[in-house]
Every structure is written in structure tokens, then in C-alpha cells.
Amino acid sequence: VLGHEFGDEAACWVEQVDPVTLDVVRRSADLPGGPTWPGGLAAHADGDLYVVFGNHAHRLSASLEVLVSVELPRHAPYNSFVVLPDGHLVTKDFGGVLPGGDPEAHEPPPSELLVLAPGTLDIVARCSIPEPSIARLSADGSTVYIVGTTTLYRARWDGTDLALDTDF
């Protein structure tokens, strides 16, 4: 279970719960987060757990020990991620107005997709989206779908690069 605080510098954590009683069996250390927006948690084929919350990504062991933590490039919340068939993770920054924010105060910048290497969480590819994106990502195989504020986009991962499909 992924839990988190609220605010601009919120932390998150992962809890293992008993499947019958829902009692907490173990809990990770507090993980750096950043600006609050619901993040995501996945059990990866490599046996580890991956978390994206705020502007951070984390890799945890199955026993919830922190193996890798990285800060993502934009000081904005990244709203979850998808895992591609080859194990790479794709995430993007949230392009909407956060709770309590003034929608008239500024126009959010266009969103950017990041491809993270499993294991290291190094950024191995980037892809700019022409507008902000507020919804979570979806994927069908190595094809990633992005909901912008006015348009649906598609990007394709070829194992080394993520490119926007301009014919979609």
C-alpha cells in the first residue's frame, strides 16, 4: 500500500499489509516525495517494488528496503507511471492545477515523458508533449498513451528512444 503526506514537500511510504486482517506487517522508511499528487506503486518482474511520488522515483526490495532513490527533473508532481514489456518505466509530470492553486495564476508548461531504466532509475529517454497532461498514462505493449488538456497523444518506445507519433 502506498501512503503519503500532503503539501509541497510531502513524503511517502510503502506498507506491506496482511491480506486477511489488513494489519501492517512492515513499513518502509519515509521516502522523499515533493509536490503532492497521487503517485503510483508497482511490483516489477525483477522482484522489486517501484514508486513514483512527487518529483521522486524509488526502487524498494520486496522487504521494503530502499535500494535506489532519484529526484526527477521538474519540481512538479509526477502522476504515477507505466511499466513497459522490457521493464522500463515511463512517467510524466502533472500539468494541471494542484488543489488550492489558482488556475488563472499561470499556464502549466507542456508535459514531458521520461523513460527510467529498471534497477538504476536513470533517465534513458525523454519525449516532450505539446501541451500539459493531467491524466495518468496508459500503455499497450510499448505504445504509451497520454491525455493532454485538449488532445490524446501516442508515443512509441523502440528500446532506446520514445518518440511522439505525429500521425496519431
Side-chain angles (χ1 to χ4, degrees), residues 104-121:
E104 304 299 321
H106 73 284
E107 171 102 15
S111 291
E112 177 185 52
L113 296 170
L114 301 176
V115 180
L116 306 177
T120 64
L121 297 175

PDB file of all heavy atoms in Angstrom, residues 104-121:
ATOM      1  N   GLU A 104      -5.924  30.718 -12.722  1.00  0.00           N
ATOM      2  CA  GLU A 104      -5.642  31.916 -13.508  1.00  0.00           C
ATOM      3  C   GLU A 104      -4.213  32.430 -13.295  1.00  0.00           C
ATOM      4  O   GLU A 104      -3.751  33.316 -14.003  1.00  0.00           O
ATOM      5  CB  GLU A 104      -6.646  33.021 -13.147  1.00  0.00           C
ATOM      6  CG  GLU A 104      -8.102  32.625 -13.311  1.00  0.00           C
ATOM      7  CD  GLU A 104      -8.458  32.254 -14.745  1.00  0.00           C
ATOM      8  OE1 GLU A 104      -7.960  32.910 -15.679  1.00  0.00           O
ATOM      9  OE2 GLU A 104      -9.218  31.277 -14.918  1.00  0.00           O
ATOM     10  N   ALA A 105      -3.519  31.879 -12.297  1.00  0.00           N
ATOM     11  CA  ALA A 105      -2.202  32.397 -11.914  1.00  0.00           C
ATOM     12  C   ALA A 105      -1.123  32.126 -12.965  1.00  0.00           C
ATOM     13  O   ALA A 105      -0.261  32.956 -13.184  1.00  0.00           O
ATOM     14  CB  ALA A 105      -1.774  31.820 -10.575  1.00  0.00           C
ATOM     15  N   HIS A 106      -1.165  30.968 -13.575  1.00  0.00           N
ATOM     16  CA  HIS A 106      -0.160  30.653 -14.588  1.00  0.00           C
ATOM     17  C   HIS A 106      -0.637  29.504 -15.461  1.00  0.00           C
ATOM     18  O   HIS A 106      -1.466  28.704 -15.064  1.00  0.00           O
ATOM     19  CB  HIS A 106       1.164  30.267 -13.925  1.00  0.00           C
ATOM     20  CG  HIS A 106       1.144  28.912 -13.278  1.00  0.00           C
ATOM     21  ND1 HIS A 106       0.531  28.679 -12.077  1.00  0.00           N
ATOM     22  CD2 HIS A 106       1.642  27.722 -13.684  1.00  0.00           C
ATOM     23  CE1 HIS A 106       0.656  27.394 -11.767  1.00  0.00           C
ATOM     24  NE2 HIS A 106       1.323  26.799 -12.723  1.00  0.00           N
ATOM     25  N   GLU A 107      -0.094  29.455 -16.639  1.00  0.00           N
ATOM     26  CA  GLU A 107      -0.362  28.353 -17.564  1.00  0.00           C
ATOM     27  C   GLU A 107       0.691  27.278 -17.318  1.00  0.00           C
ATOM     28  O   GLU A 107       1.886  27.552 -17.396  1.00  0.00           O
ATOM     29  CB  GLU A 107      -0.256  28.854 -19.001  1.00  0.00           C
ATOM     30  CG  GLU A 107      -0.313  27.770 -20.033  1.00  0.00           C
ATOM     31  CD  GLU A 107      -1.660  27.685 -20.698  1.00  0.00           C
ATOM     32  OE1 GLU A 107      -2.455  28.635 -20.554  1.00  0.00           O
ATOM     33  OE2 GLU A 107      -1.907  26.681 -21.352  1.00  0.00           O
ATOM     34  N   PRO A 108       0.282  26.052 -16.994  1.00  0.00           N
ATOM     35  CA  PRO A 108       1.279  24.999 -16.790  1.00  0.00           C
ATOM     36  C   PRO A 108       2.070  24.752 -18.077  1.00  0.00           C
ATOM     37  O   PRO A 108       1.532  24.862 -19.180  1.00  0.00           O
ATOM     38  CB  PRO A 108       0.447  23.771 -16.426  1.00  0.00           C
ATOM     39  CG  PRO A 108      -0.876  24.303 -16.003  1.00  0.00           C
ATOM     40  CD  PRO A 108      -1.068  25.580 -16.762  1.00  0.00           C
ATOM     41  N   PRO A 109       3.343  24.399 -17.949  1.00  0.00           N
ATOM     42  CA  PRO A 109       4.143  24.114 -19.141  1.00  0.00           C
ATOM     43  C   PRO A 109       3.722  22.790 -19.768  1.00  0.00           C
ATOM     44  O   PRO A 109       3.081  21.956 -19.113  1.00  0.00           O
ATOM     45  CB  PRO A 109       5.568  24.032 -18.596  1.00  0.00           C
ATOM     46  CG  PRO A 109       5.397  23.606 -17.179  1.00  0.00           C
ATOM     47  CD  PRO A 109       4.110  24.246 -16.719  1.00  0.00           C
ATOM     48  N   PRO A 110       4.091  22.565 -21.020  1.00  0.00           N
ATOM     49  CA  PRO A 110       3.826  21.255 -21.629  1.00  0.00           C
ATOM     50  C   PRO A 110       4.487  20.147 -20.800  1.00  0.00           C
ATOM     51  O   PRO A 110       5.532  20.354 -20.179  1.00  0.00           O
ATOM     52  CB  PRO A 110       4.482  21.366 -23.008  1.00  0.00           C
ATOM     53  CG  PRO A 110       4.510  22.837 -23.294  1.00  0.00           C
ATOM     54  CD  PRO A 110       4.719  23.495 -21.954  1.00  0.00           C
ATOM     55  N   SER A 111       3.880  18.992 -20.789  1.00  0.00           N
ATOM     56  CA  SER A 111       4.420  17.865 -20.023  1.00  0.00           C
ATOM     57  C   SER A 111       5.559  17.187 -20.780  1.00  0.00           C
ATOM     58  O   SER A 111       5.713  17.341 -21.993  1.00  0.00           O
ATOM     59  CB  SER A 111       3.318  16.843 -19.734  1.00  0.00           C
ATOM     60  OG  SER A 111       2.387  17.368 -18.815  1.00  0.00           O
ATOM     61  N   GLU A 112       6.345  16.436 -20.018  1.00  0.00           N
ATOM     62  CA  GLU A 112       7.467  15.690 -20.595  1.00  0.00           C
ATOM     63  C   GLU A 112       7.421  14.262 -20.078  1.00  0.00           C
ATOM     64  O   GLU A 112       7.303  14.027 -18.875  1.00  0.00           O
ATOM     65  CB  GLU A 112       8.792  16.337 -20.196  1.00  0.00           C
ATOM     66  CG  GLU A 112      10.003  15.583 -20.706  1.00  0.00           C
ATOM     67  CD  GLU A 112      11.311  16.160 -20.201  1.00  0.00           C
ATOM     68  OE1 GLU A 112      11.462  16.343 -18.970  1.00  0.00           O
ATOM     69  OE2 GLU A 112      12.181  16.404 -21.044  1.00  0.00           O
ATOM     70  N   LEU A 113       7.528  13.304 -20.995  1.00  0.00           N
ATOM     71  CA  LEU A 113       7.628  11.899 -20.625  1.00  0.00           C
ATOM     72  C   LEU A 113       9.082  11.566 -20.333  1.00  0.00           C
ATOM     73  O   LEU A 113       9.987  12.055 -21.029  1.00  0.00           O
ATOM     74  CB  LEU A 113       7.169  11.004 -21.778  1.00  0.00           C
ATOM     75  CG  LEU A 113       5.717  11.094 -22.213  1.00  0.00           C
ATOM     76  CD1 LEU A 113       5.519  10.321 -23.500  1.00  0.00           C
ATOM     77  CD2 LEU A 113       4.810  10.566 -21.136  1.00  0.00           C
ATOM     78  N   LEU A 114       9.304  10.743 -19.340  1.00  0.00           N
ATOM     79  CA  LEU A 114      10.635  10.246 -19.011  1.00  0.00           C
ATOM     80  C   LEU A 114      10.596   8.728 -19.053  1.00  0.00           C
ATOM     81  O   LEU A 114       9.656   8.117 -18.537  1.00  0.00           O
ATOM     82  CB  LEU A 114      11.051  10.665 -17.604  1.00  0.00           C
ATOM     83  CG  LEU A 114      11.102  12.148 -17.273  1.00  0.00           C
ATOM     84  CD1 LEU A 114      11.440  12.335 -15.797  1.00  0.00           C
ATOM     85  CD2 LEU A 114      12.114  12.862 -18.155  1.00  0.00           C
ATOM     86  N   VAL A 115      11.615   8.121 -19.627  1.00  0.00           N
ATOM     87  CA  VAL A 115      11.779   6.673 -19.571  1.00  0.00           C
ATOM     88  C   VAL A 115      12.896   6.400 -18.570  1.00  0.00           C
ATOM     89  O   VAL A 115      14.008   6.914 -18.714  1.00  0.00           O
ATOM     90  CB  VAL A 115      12.130   6.081 -20.949  1.00  0.00           C
ATOM     91  CG1 VAL A 115      12.296   4.563 -20.843  1.00  0.00           C
ATOM     92  CG2 VAL A 115      11.068   6.432 -21.984  1.00  0.00           C
ATOM     93  N   LEU A 116      12.573   5.606 -17.547  1.00  0.00           N
ATOM     94  CA  LEU A 116      13.522   5.275 -16.491  1.00  0.00           C
ATOM     95  C   LEU A 116      13.973   3.828 -16.638  1.00  0.00           C
ATOM     96  O   LEU A 116      13.151   2.936 -16.867  1.00  0.00           O
ATOM     97  CB  LEU A 116      12.882   5.466 -15.118  1.00  0.00           C
ATOM     98  CG  LEU A 116      12.253   6.834 -14.830  1.00  0.00           C
ATOM     99  CD1 LEU A 116      11.588   6.833 -13.458  1.00  0.00           C
ATOM    100  CD2 LEU A 116      13.270   7.949 -14.949  1.00  0.00           C
ATOM    101  N   ALA A 117      15.270   3.603 -16.498  1.00  0.00           N
ATOM    102  CA  ALA A 117      15.816   2.252 -16.565  1.00  0.00           C
ATOM    103  C   ALA A 117      15.440   1.489 -15.306  1.00  0.00           C
ATOM    104  O   ALA A 117      15.581   2.014 -14.196  1.00  0.00           O
ATOM    105  CB  ALA A 117      17.328   2.302 -16.710  1.00  0.00           C
ATOM    106  N   PRO A 118      14.980   0.249 -15.450  1.00  0.00           N
ATOM    107  CA  PRO A 118      14.721  -0.544 -14.250  1.00  0.00           C
ATOM    108  C   PRO A 118      16.051  -0.776 -13.539  1.00  0.00           C
ATOM    109  O   PRO A 118      17.104  -0.839 -14.163  1.00  0.00           O
ATOM    110  CB  PRO A 118      14.131  -1.842 -14.803  1.00  0.00           C
ATOM    111  CG  PRO A 118      14.597  -1.923 -16.208  1.00  0.00           C
ATOM    112  CD  PRO A 118      14.767  -0.506 -16.679  1.00  0.00           C
ATOM    113  N   GLY A 119      15.998  -0.854 -12.251  1.00  0.00           N
ATOM    114  CA  GLY A 119      17.216  -1.060 -11.474  1.00  0.00           C
ATOM    115  C   GLY A 119      17.823   0.247 -11.037  1.00  0.00           C
ATOM    116  O   GLY A 119      17.789   0.586  -9.859  1.00  0.00           O
ATOM    117  N   THR A 120      18.337   1.043 -11.970  1.00  0.00           N
ATOM    118  CA  THR A 120      19.037   2.284 -11.624  1.00  0.00           C
ATOM    119  C   THR A 120      18.137   3.501 -11.542  1.00  0.00           C
ATOM    120  O   THR A 120      18.486   4.487 -10.903  1.00  0.00           O
ATOM    121  CB  THR A 120      20.125   2.599 -12.654  1.00  0.00           C
ATOM    122  OG1 THR A 120      19.493   2.842 -13.938  1.00  0.00           O
ATOM    123  CG2 THR A 120      21.134   1.465 -12.761  1.00  0.00           C
ATOM    124  N   LEU A 121      17.014   3.465 -12.243  1.00  0.00           N
ATOM    125  CA  LEU A 121      16.097   4.595 -12.390  1.00  0.00           C
ATOM    126  C   LEU A 121      16.750   5.774 -13.117  1.00  0.00           C
ATOM    127  O   LEU A 121      16.281   6.902 -13.027  1.00  0.00           O
ATOM    128  CB  LEU A 121      15.517   5.032 -11.041  1.00  0.00           C
ATOM    129  CG  LEU A 121      14.652   3.973 -10.347  1.00  0.00           C
ATOM    130  CD1 LEU A 121      14.220   4.457  -8.968  1.00  0.00           C
ATOM    131  CD2 LEU A 121      13.441   3.636 -11.207  1.00  0.00           C
TER     132      LEU A 121
END
